[in-house]
């Protein structure tokens, strides 16, 4: 007997090309709800939030994650800062 998958409340950190591609892919999955998106300057996060109807967006991932009640985080930032962001996410318990 298979159990139904619990819905994932996903926050995407990084709203560049990879963030947009992942948002598009995840927006087509029934058990994933895009609840937040973050970018350094905020402009691209705002644009993607409008495009994919994501309620919460901003420049600080910790704030957006709390507001959005995210239970999963996808990091799509530059390789130059991905290790730092991933460490923060892991240390925060995601």
């Amino acid at each position: 007997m298979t159990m139904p998958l619990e819905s994932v409340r996903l926050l995407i950190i990084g709203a560049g090309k990879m963030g947009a591609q992942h948002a598009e892919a995840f927006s087509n999955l029934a058990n994933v709800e895009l609840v937040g998106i973050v970018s350094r300057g905020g402009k691209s996060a705002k644009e993607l939030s409008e495009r994919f109807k994501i309620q919460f967006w901003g420049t600080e991932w910790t704030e957006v994650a709390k507001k959005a009640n995210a239970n999963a985080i996808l990091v799509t930032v530059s390789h130059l800062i991905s290790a730092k962001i991933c460490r923060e996410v892991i240390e925060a318990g995601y």
Side-chain angles (χ1 to χ4, degrees):
M1 180 169 148
T2 58
M3 301 288 286
L5 292 175
E6 183 178 322
S7 181
V8 175
R9 296 180 54 80
L10 183 64
L11 165 68
I12 299 175
I13 301 175
K17 182 188 282 188
M18 291 306 296
Q21 289 177 345
H22 280 83
E24 185 167 354
F26 281 111
S27 71
N28 293 311
L29 298 178
N31 63 330
V32 176
E33 181 183 0
L34 296 175
V35 295
I37 190 155
V38 175
S39 65
R40 277 188 301 210
K43 181 181 177 190
S44 57
K46 183 179 188 302
E47 290 170 357
L48 288 179
S49 73
E50 292 168 354
R51 180 175 163 195
F52 294 104
K53 297 174 180 51
I54 301 170
Q55 183 176 4
F56 299 98
W57 62 273
T59 59
E60 295 294 327
W61 77 264
T62 53
E63 292 175 14
V64 176
K66 287 177 188 172
K67 288 179 191 174
N69 193 27
N71 60 16
I73 295 179
L74 176 66
V75 179
T76 65
V77 298
S78 163
H79 70 284
L80 299 173
I81 61 168
S82 63
K84 176 187 178 296
I85 301 299
C86 287
R87 179 179 300 275
E88 290 177 7
V89 169
I90 291 167
E91 288 176 352
Y94 289 96

